[in-house]
Amino acid sequence: KAGVTQTPRYLIKTRGQQVTLSCSPISGHRSVSWYQQTPGQGLQFLFEYFSETQRNKGNFPGRFSGRQFSNSRSEMNVSTLELGDSALYLCASSLSQGARYGYTFGSGTRLTVV
Amino acid sequence: TQLLEQSPQFLSIQEGENLTVYCNSSSVFSSLQWYRQEPGEGPVLLVTVVTGGEVKKLKRLTFQFGDARKDSSLHITAAQPGDTGLYLCAGPANAGGTSYGKLTFGQGTILTVHP
């Protein structure tokens, strides 16, 4: 079966712009989580959606937002980009209890802010 | 949020050697997961351990969950260049089943296996 698909793979944006990243989970998976990975901070949790509802949110500013559609696809948006937002953004999906049993991650979107 | 500490941070070994990576916490975890990540890719789930004292084997990789469920280890026997990568341990960030997608990750161990 198809894995978790993230688009685009690479993105270069200018400070102040906004960006939207997309994630298609494994078919049947209803939980989608987003993580930011940087060399200095490692993997940090952004938010989790389950059946179109945000169930949990990490400690990121309000410039980071997301949503989930009825087909479980998810998008995350970052407005007013800052240089520090440069990172690998990872999407992960699971049937339900991914935090307990494990997630399938996508290959990520590499965002560079210049 | 429950925290995880991994050691060592870096490992550089020759093909055929054995190695162990440790993942420790002062908190009790309901489960722990191990992932391997290659450059430019997302982490790939290797194993989930759920029961204290549990041992799981995946070919040359052996995973152990501590009896008190506060630590875990990953042992690789006869390492190969294909084992090179970033190894991450992770667990639910909150106790009591309220994590809802939030995993706590260790800082990771960068393993390099030289031919």
Side-chain angles (χ1 to χ4, degrees):
Chain A
K1 58 183 177 181
V4 178
T5 303
Q6 289 188 247
T7 56
R9 284 296 309 271
Y10 303 92
L11 210 46
I12 300 176
K13 289 287 187 178
T14 304
R15 270 184 304 174
Q17 288 186 314
Q18 75 166 17
V19 67
T20 299
L21 312 182
S22 179
C23 171
S24 293
I26 289 174
S27 178
H29 284 192
R30 296 164 65 187
S31 170
V32 174
S33 291
W34 288 88
Y35 287 82
Q36 181 195 67
Q37 186 176 28
T38 58
Q41 300 296 319
L43 279 111
Q44 292 187 289
F45 173 76
L46 283 156
F47 25 67
E48 189 256 7
Y49 288 88
F50 183 86
S51 293
E52 302 180 67
T53 299
Q54 186 183 87
R55 295 197 299 184
N56 205 351
K57 190 176 190 305
N59 296 325
F60 279 82
R63 301 184 296 106
F64 291 81
S65 64
R67 59 178 177 170
Q68 186 180 35
F69 302 96
S70 58
N71 61 358
S72 291
R73 191 176 71 84
S74 177
E75 288 182 347
M76 68 162 282
N77 182 277
V78 188
S79 63
T80 318
L81 284 165
E82 300 177 359
L83 295 179
D85 297 333
S86 294
L88 180 65
Y89 289 88
L90 294 161
C91 166
S93 77
S94 75
L95 283 169
S96 61
Q97 298 186 61
R100 178 165 166 81
Y101 296 110
Y103 277 100
T104 301
F105 281 84
S107 297
T109 294
R110 170 72 64 185
L111 172 65
T112 302
V113 183
V114 297
Chain B
T1 300
Q2 306 183 111
L3 301 177
L4 289 167
E5 290 190 11
Q6 263 185 260
S7 61
Q9 192 175 354
F10 299 96
L11 260 180
S12 180
I13 62 172
Q14 294 296 126
E15 183 176 1
E17 293 184 7
N18 302 331
L19 67 112
T20 302
V21 178
Y22 299 94
C23 178
N24 296 295
S25 176
S26 58
S27 305
V28 175
F29 280 82
S30 60
S31 67
L32 281 178
Q33 305 153 30
W34 285 93
Y35 294 84
R36 185 168 81 98
Q37 184 177 21
E38 297 188 25
E41 297 295 327
V44 174
L45 179 65
L46 296 173
V47 77
T48 300
V49 286
V50 177
T51 306
E54 182 177 6
V55 177
K56 283 192 173 180
K57 292 191 175 183
L58 186 66
K59 297 183 182 178
R60 295 174 294 98
L61 278 61
T62 302
F63 304 87
Q64 186 162 8
F65 200 14
D67 291 339
R69 292 186 288 133
K70 292 183 177 182
D71 58 272
S72 181
S73 63
L74 156 61
H75 182 80
I76 301 179
T77 303
Q80 299 177 359
D83 296 326
T84 293
L86 173 66
Y87 288 82
L88 295 155
C89 65
N94 303 320
T98 61
S99 293
Y100 295 130
K102 185 175 182 179
L103 288 173
T104 289
F105 281 86
Q107 316 96 298
T109 296
I110 298 175
L111 170 65
T112 304
V113 182
H114 301 280

